[in-house]
Amino acid sequence: MNRQLLAYALAAIVLAVLPYVGVYPIFMMQVLCYALFACSFNLLLGYTGLLSFGHAAFLGLAGYTTGYVLKTWGLPTEIGILAGTAAAALLGLAMGLLAIRRSGIYFAMITLAMAQMVYFYFVQADFTGGENGMQQIPRGKALGFINLSNDLNLYYLVLIVFIAGFYIVWRAVHSPFGQVLKALRENEPRAISLGYDVDRFKLLAFVLSATLAGLAGATKSLVFISTTLTDATWQTSGLVILMTLIGGLGTQVGPILGAFIVVALENKVGNLGAFIAQITHIDWFNRLGDSVTIVIGLIFVVCVLTFRRGIVGEILAWKQRRQTV
């Protein structure tokens, strides 16, 4: 446990110095927002065994709420983030109360249906800007004096938010509450026979996951100074599933790695294609940037066929096999 905490502390230090070694802050902020989003989803699927197809609703609602509070009411940035996170938590409570009545594919379909209802509400609502989205969200100032219009200042705020969210997930997993969640995932009837109120634990896990997804959505709206319908679509819900599965379902670091891989592909695959085209003189590679979804899909297929536990999951399994030899 101490070694694990030390490794996480070193990783946090590395993240803190990345902007000073030439890494673009906006890119890293996008990675951190999606990494927190993936960690929140992993808490629900990886440790509780509940597959949600509607997590984008929490990301989108938090983004719109934060943007509305900052842009229309002019409240401090901290209040905007808290308001967006609280809105996602309330939506998670409402969705969870209905969804936990069913399990398996029925649970997934309920979350998808309710998320689509939220999406179509965003399409028609005036405050969201419809298909144009909510633009020009003011970043404001942190603690009243730190100017968040500076990308470097905002990066450290996003980093602090990510570390806090990751710690909440880590603490929840390594607590008696987390042990009960794992028991529900492995054998729910046995957990019931031991006297646990499984519906209450499922609801708590769902609301906590929704809250952290909302925290990611709130900070994401500050990074891009906008929130669009893309944040609330079912494709975004599928994207977070992809991140979690590629990195490693049920692992602490896996969703973070998965988020980095997916975001890096979305941002850099076009540059990679141009580089390959320059070397090979094959013009087709110049169009690689327009085929990001195909590339990500191929990577997912490869991971499913060769790394069924995800990248981090396979590494941990390999280390365990070596220790037992």
Side-chain angles (χ1 to χ4, degrees):
M1 187 69 70
N2 291 332
R3 288 184 178 180
Q4 191 178 55
L5 289 174
L6 179 60
Y8 291 152
L10 292 175
I13 294 173
V14 171
L15 289 173
V17 301
L18 281 180
Y20 295 100
V21 294
V23 180
Y24 192 41
I26 295 293
F27 168 73
M28 281 308 304
M29 284 190 281
Q30 185 180 4
V31 170
L32 291 175
C33 289
Y34 276 113
L36 180 56
F37 186 34
C39 287
S40 71
F41 176 80
N42 185 50
L43 176 65
L44 190 64
L45 178 60
Y47 292 101
T48 315
L50 298 176
L51 174 59
S52 169
F53 269 117
H55 251 52
F58 310 127
L59 186 80
L61 177 61
Y64 280 124
T65 303
T66 298
Y68 185 82
V69 168
L70 297 179
K71 187 175 182 180
T72 306
W73 294 348
L75 294 178
T77 303
E78 296 88 348
I79 300 298
I81 294 175
L82 290 175
T85 305
L90 290 175
L91 178 62
L93 178 62
M95 288 180 62
L97 286 171
L98 292 175
I100 62 171
R101 298 173 183 271
R102 295 293 182 266
S103 60
I105 189 63
Y106 302 104
F107 175 90
M109 289 299 101
I110 290 174
T111 57
L112 175 61
M114 297 191 70
Q116 287 300 99
M117 292 170 60
V118 173
Y119 169 77
F120 285 114
Y121 170 73
F122 289 155
V123 172
Q124 301 173 7
D126 294 331
F127 78 96
T128 64
E131 294 183 357
N132 294 323
M134 183 181 291
Q135 307 294 330
Q136 300 301 317
I137 297 174
R139 290 178 174 178
K141 296 181 179 180
L143 303 177
F145 66 92
I146 301 176
N147 186 10
L148 297 179
S149 296
N150 184 301
D151 288 343
L152 189 60
N153 292 341
L154 182 62
Y155 173 77
Y156 287 110
L157 174 63
V158 174
L159 178 60
I160 291 171
V161 169
F162 168 76
I163 291 173
F166 181 80
Y167 175 76
I168 291 172
V169 173
W170 179 86
R171 188 68 186 88
V173 170
H174 295 88
S175 69
F177 171 71
Q179 298 304 313
V180 175
L181 295 185
K182 293 176 185 178
L184 294 179
R185 179 193 63 190
E186 298 297 333
N187 195 329
E188 184 175 334
R190 186 173 183 181
I192 295 174
S193 69
L194 293 174
Y196 289 108
D197 186 349
V198 296
D199 286 344
R200 183 167 65 90
F201 280 96
K202 286 181 181 180
L203 181 60
L204 286 173
F206 194 90
V207 172
L208 180 58
S209 179
T211 302
L212 293 173
L215 183 59
T219 53
K220 182 177 178 292
S221 68
L222 295 179
V223 174
F224 294 100
I225 60 174
S226 65
T227 300
T228 64
L229 291 174
T230 303
D231 295 330
T233 58
W234 65 267
Q235 289 94 334
T236 302
S237 295
L239 191 65
V240 73
I241 297 174
L242 185 64
M243 292 175 181
T244 307
L245 293 179
I246 288 176
L249 184 65
T251 64
Q252 294 272 278
V253 185
I256 301 173
L257 178 60
F260 175 80
I261 291 173
V262 172
V263 173
L265 286 172
E266 289 183 339
N267 286 272
K268 305 299 183 181
V269 71
N271 296 336
L272 178 63
F275 176 74
I276 296 175
Q278 186 177 7
I279 295 176
T280 61
H281 302 289
I282 300 176
D283 291 336
W284 178 85
F285 286 106
N286 286 318
R287 299 193 297 270
L288 198 60
D290 300 326
S291 308
V292 174
T293 53
I294 297 176
V295 174
I296 294 176
L298 289 174
I299 291 175
F300 178 63
V301 170
V302 171
C303 286
V304 169
L305 294 177
T306 59
F307 301 99
R308 299 191 63 180
R309 298 182 182 91
I311 297 173
V312 175
E314 289 293 340
I315 293 174
L316 294 176
W318 174 75
K319 289 179 63 177
Q320 188 174 11
R321 286 196 299 268
R322 287 199 61 182
Q323 291 175 355
T324 56
V325 173

